[in-house]
Amino acid sequence: MTEDYEHYEAVVVGAGPGGAAAAATLARNGVETVVLERGVDAGSKNVTGGLIYAEESAPYTIDGIFPGFREHATERPVTDYYIHNIAGEQVRTFDITDGHEQDTEWADAVLRRKMDSWMARQVHEITRETGGGLLTEVKVNGLLEEDGEIVGVTCEELDPIKADFVVAADGVNSELAREAGLMDWEEPEEWFQGVKAVVDMPGDTINERFGIADDEGEAHLFSGDLYDGVRGGGFLYTNQDSLCIGNVFHLDSIVEEEAEVQDLLDALLTHPVLAQWLGDDYDEREYSAKLVPDSKKAANPSPHQGRLVLVGDAGGQMQAQGPIIKGMNHAVTAGALAAEAFVEARSRGEPDSAGERYERRLHDEGVMAKLRPARYEVASALGENDTTTRLAERALDSSVGRLGVRMADRVGLLERAYSSPYLATMMPDTKTPYVTLPTIIGEELGATVEAESTVELPSLEERIGDLTYDTDVGNPHIVVEDNSFEASGAAVTACPVSAMDYGGGCYRDETVQSNGDEKRVVSLDTQPCVECGTCAIVADTQWEHPRGGKGVEFREG
Ligand SMILES: Cc1cc2nc3c(=O)[nH]c(=O)nc-3n(C[C@H](O)[C@H](O)[C@H](O)COP(=O)(O)OP(=O)(O)OC[C@H]3O[C@@H](n4cnc5c(N)ncnc54)[C@H](O)[C@@H]3O)c2cc1C
Ligand code: SF4
């Protein structure tokens, strides 16, 4: 009997930036709000690069919603921004601070455990005043329905909860969006995979090696030939006393190239260009990974159904604006807009119209236009096909093309192009901008890096061993539906804690004998899983989150 269930005006699922912004805005407007988070602490399941942006054009910024945010929850402001084009040991660097500062009020480096748990404490205080609060270690496992209408959520650890408004801020692997049929999980080209290392470094060493003060920070981006042709790029961000270093690649490219993603991270970490900063005392605090949606293809233009709204990654709202990645700020905006839509709908006595109002606001405030830029639709239709790519690659790699690159650099055109948000939003998802052009720039214009890398990196086994898990033995959250290598083999390499030649990760490639025949199959052990979501897209699986509080616990994120 659903009448017996506890009822709140609003239930928010997930305490990332999207959920925190939604919950705080709802509660400040007097809406009785409960927030459910599956991690042992907010942020313990989350990974970002990560720079959080406050955009001048955005209707909401995180420090507007949480006063004191920059003082308490972030690492350093980013004051300098560079892109490095790499060809072997030759590197050509451009200063792209101008591009980064366009439409940016500020941008700070963050670590998610610190950021999310600080926000969660504020959210708990604010929502408690409405009769709600924030509960951790509660995994929402479905939508509660009555006569075919969504009326709340079901949880593994609690009785179902009824609500007039359900905010799915449950991130990239949103089970609620999936259940409501609002998320298309089919295509690897709609996703990026991020893999990252948090590297320990005292604050004064960071200041000295990067030539910055305590209140300054740097962002470095990397592309070129160090990734074996995989489309994407690397990043390095300075924190207070650590560095975040990682790669974000198109998932379809990882699959096509059968790339071992931990090797690609190592290729960046051991490149001589990083030696100037890393020195030889390398101490990796955490290895992590997560999938992110490519909003250009995945952002749902109508992210609601009945009382349910999707915000942030759950709605595919993660924007890659060329090399600049913006997901957290859009999650914040969307969370606040959704909350505002419900408050308005309720005040007009039409709470069920909140979803429609939210959709309208996403469009009216220009959020949808940023997430799915019309010029990308046109540019991709023209530029993302094999013939155009082949022609562009051939032209660039010709003597005339190379001369053009040199001329463009001489008049400052390349640096301006890298700094142009206009061009960045229409960058085609082909090898040309990610691999070929940066490599040619490195070859034609680069200087040889003198430093030599001496870092000793941990093995995959050590990386897995250093992570914290509360294992859920006997309760696998992933089931391989088809274990043939053809159906699920891509997961063996694309899983960030598995590798072809390493037997201890999640996915393994095995040859088994059956009835005299040999069969190549995939086997799975989810105990070391970092819950990135990759195999849900590249393999034939049934995928869900582990129970509340179970699975991996990130300490940095
Ligand atoms: C390597 C990498 C680099 C990135 N770099 C940047 C960057 O520099 N700048 C930027 O802005 N963005 C960046 N992003 C993207 C950014 O991290 C995301 O877009 C952002 O975190 C989305 O926020 P969210 O609130 O929608 O979801 P999340 O932050 O994923 O939060 C979802 C929350 O919901 C909880 N949850 C999930 N399911 C359930 C459930 N069933 N029940 C209860 N709780 C649940 C999770 O535990 C989590 O706390 C990067 C991402 C990666 C992986
Ligand atoms: S098993 Fe799947 S979800 Fe877990 S780490 Fe590997 S690819 Fe990611």
Side-chain angles (χ1 to χ4, degrees), residues 478 495-497 506-507 524 529-535 543:
I478 308 171
C495 170
V497 290
C506 290
Y507 281 92
L524 171 66
C529 173
V530 293
E531 298 162 43
C532 65
T534 302
C535 54
W543 198 104

Tab-separated table of all heavy atoms in Angstrom, residues 478 495-497 506-507 524 529-535 543, ligand 2:
chain	number	residue	atom	x	y	z
A	478	ILE	N	27.279	-6.236	-11.719
A	478	ILE	CA	27.342	-6.343	-13.180
A	478	ILE	C	27.187	-7.817	-13.538
A	478	ILE	O	27.829	-8.676	-12.934
A	478	ILE	CB	28.704	-5.850	-13.721
A	478	ILE	CG1	29.036	-4.454	-13.186
A	478	ILE	CG2	28.712	-5.846	-15.245
A	478	ILE	CD1	30.444	-4.011	-13.502
A	495	CYS	N	38.178	-1.476	-19.858
A	495	CYS	CA	37.987	-1.388	-18.408
A	495	CYS	C	39.286	-0.858	-17.775
A	495	CYS	O	40.346	-1.440	-17.979
A	495	CYS	CB	37.647	-2.770	-17.842
A	495	CYS	SG	37.673	-2.815	-16.036
A	496	PRO	N	39.215	0.229	-17.018
A	496	PRO	CA	40.443	0.843	-16.510
A	496	PRO	C	41.149	0.036	-15.424
A	496	PRO	O	42.249	0.397	-15.029
A	496	PRO	CB	39.978	2.198	-15.963
A	496	PRO	CG	38.524	2.045	-15.734
A	496	PRO	CD	38.019	1.028	-16.698
A	497	VAL	N	40.510	-1.031	-14.934
A	497	VAL	CA	41.213	-1.884	-13.978
A	497	VAL	C	41.391	-3.304	-14.534
A	497	VAL	O	41.536	-4.259	-13.768
A	497	VAL	CB	40.524	-1.903	-12.589
A	497	VAL	CG1	40.680	-0.569	-11.903
A	497	VAL	CG2	39.058	-2.280	-12.698
A	506	CYS	N	39.020	-6.541	-13.385
A	506	CYS	CA	37.625	-6.998	-13.472
A	506	CYS	C	37.432	-7.998	-14.609
A	506	CYS	O	36.951	-9.098	-14.396
A	506	CYS	CB	36.706	-5.802	-13.706
A	506	CYS	SG	36.566	-4.730	-12.283
A	507	TYR	N	37.801	-7.574	-15.823
A	507	TYR	CA	37.521	-8.416	-16.996
A	507	TYR	C	38.740	-9.216	-17.417
A	507	TYR	O	39.855	-8.706	-17.417
A	507	TYR	CB	37.073	-7.533	-18.172
A	507	TYR	CG	35.636	-7.113	-18.048
A	507	TYR	CD1	35.301	-5.919	-17.415
A	507	TYR	CD2	34.617	-7.915	-18.535
A	507	TYR	CE1	33.983	-5.540	-17.276
A	507	TYR	CE2	33.290	-7.549	-18.404
A	507	TYR	CZ	32.981	-6.359	-17.778
A	507	TYR	OH	31.672	-5.995	-17.640
A	524	LEU	N	34.387	-12.214	-15.494
A	524	LEU	CA	34.276	-10.954	-14.752
A	524	LEU	C	34.317	-11.195	-13.256
A	524	LEU	O	33.661	-12.091	-12.736
A	524	LEU	CB	32.940	-10.283	-15.130
A	524	LEU	CG	32.500	-9.069	-14.335
A	524	LEU	CD1	33.455	-7.911	-14.565
A	524	LEU	CD2	31.094	-8.645	-14.747
A	529	CYS	N	36.135	-3.267	-9.086
A	529	CYS	CA	35.485	-2.330	-10.020
A	529	CYS	C	35.481	-0.897	-9.475
A	529	CYS	O	35.154	-0.670	-8.314
A	529	CYS	CB	34.048	-2.811	-10.227
A	529	CYS	SG	33.009	-1.712	-11.163
A	530	VAL	N	35.852	0.071	-10.322
A	530	VAL	CA	35.795	1.477	-9.894
A	530	VAL	C	34.482	2.147	-10.343
A	530	VAL	O	34.332	3.359	-10.244
A	530	VAL	CB	37.025	2.292	-10.366
A	530	VAL	CG1	38.279	1.808	-9.685
A	530	VAL	CG2	37.183	2.279	-11.881
A	531	GLU	N	33.557	1.335	-10.853
A	531	GLU	CA	32.205	1.805	-11.194
A	531	GLU	C	32.207	2.922	-12.223
A	531	GLU	O	31.408	3.857	-12.141
A	531	GLU	CB	31.450	2.240	-9.922
A	531	GLU	CG	31.269	1.106	-8.946
A	531	GLU	CD	30.942	1.572	-7.535
A	531	GLU	OE1	30.115	2.487	-7.396
A	531	GLU	OE2	31.521	1.022	-6.571
A	532	CYS	N	33.116	2.817	-13.194
A	532	CYS	CA	33.197	3.886	-14.199
A	532	CYS	C	32.032	3.830	-15.174
A	532	CYS	O	31.661	4.850	-15.759
A	532	CYS	CB	34.511	3.802	-14.956
A	532	CYS	SG	34.688	2.315	-15.961
A	533	GLY	N	31.446	2.673	-15.374
A	533	GLY	CA	30.303	2.540	-16.287
A	533	GLY	C	30.689	2.129	-17.689
A	533	GLY	O	29.818	1.882	-18.526
A	534	THR	N	31.985	2.017	-17.975
A	534	THR	CA	32.422	1.746	-19.346
A	534	THR	C	31.819	0.469	-19.923
A	534	THR	O	31.313	0.453	-21.043
A	534	THR	CB	33.967	1.646	-19.384
A	534	THR	OG1	34.492	2.871	-18.894
A	534	THR	CG2	34.475	1.372	-20.777
A	535	CYS	N	31.855	-0.610	-19.128
A	535	CYS	CA	31.421	-1.883	-19.703
A	535	CYS	C	29.915	-1.898	-19.966
A	535	CYS	O	29.450	-2.693	-20.784
A	535	CYS	CB	31.861	-3.049	-18.838
A	535	CYS	SG	31.352	-2.901	-17.124
A	543	TRP	N	23.924	-3.786	-15.913
A	543	TRP	CA	24.815	-2.980	-15.061
A	543	TRP	C	23.989	-2.200	-14.063
A	543	TRP	O	23.010	-1.563	-14.424
A	543	TRP	CB	25.582	-2.008	-15.961
A	543	TRP	CG	26.815	-1.408	-15.365
A	543	TRP	CD1	28.087	-1.767	-15.660
A	543	TRP	CD2	26.896	-0.347	-14.402
A	543	TRP	NE1	28.971	-1.007	-14.929
A	543	TRP	CE2	28.275	-0.126	-14.141
A	543	TRP	CE3	25.975	0.424	-13.716
A	543	TRP	CZ2	28.724	0.829	-13.246
A	543	TRP	CZ3	26.424	1.374	-12.818
A	543	TRP	CH2	27.782	1.567	-12.597
B	2	SF4	S1	34.018	-3.538	-14.465
B	2	SF4	FE1	32.975	-2.034	-15.784
B	2	SF4	S2	32.289	-0.406	-14.421
B	2	SF4	FE2	33.806	-1.641	-13.297
B	2	SF4	S3	35.753	-0.596	-13.608
B	2	SF4	FE3	35.588	-2.126	-15.237
B	2	SF4	S4	34.618	-1.086	-16.959
B	2	SF4	FE4	34.331	0.200	-15.139
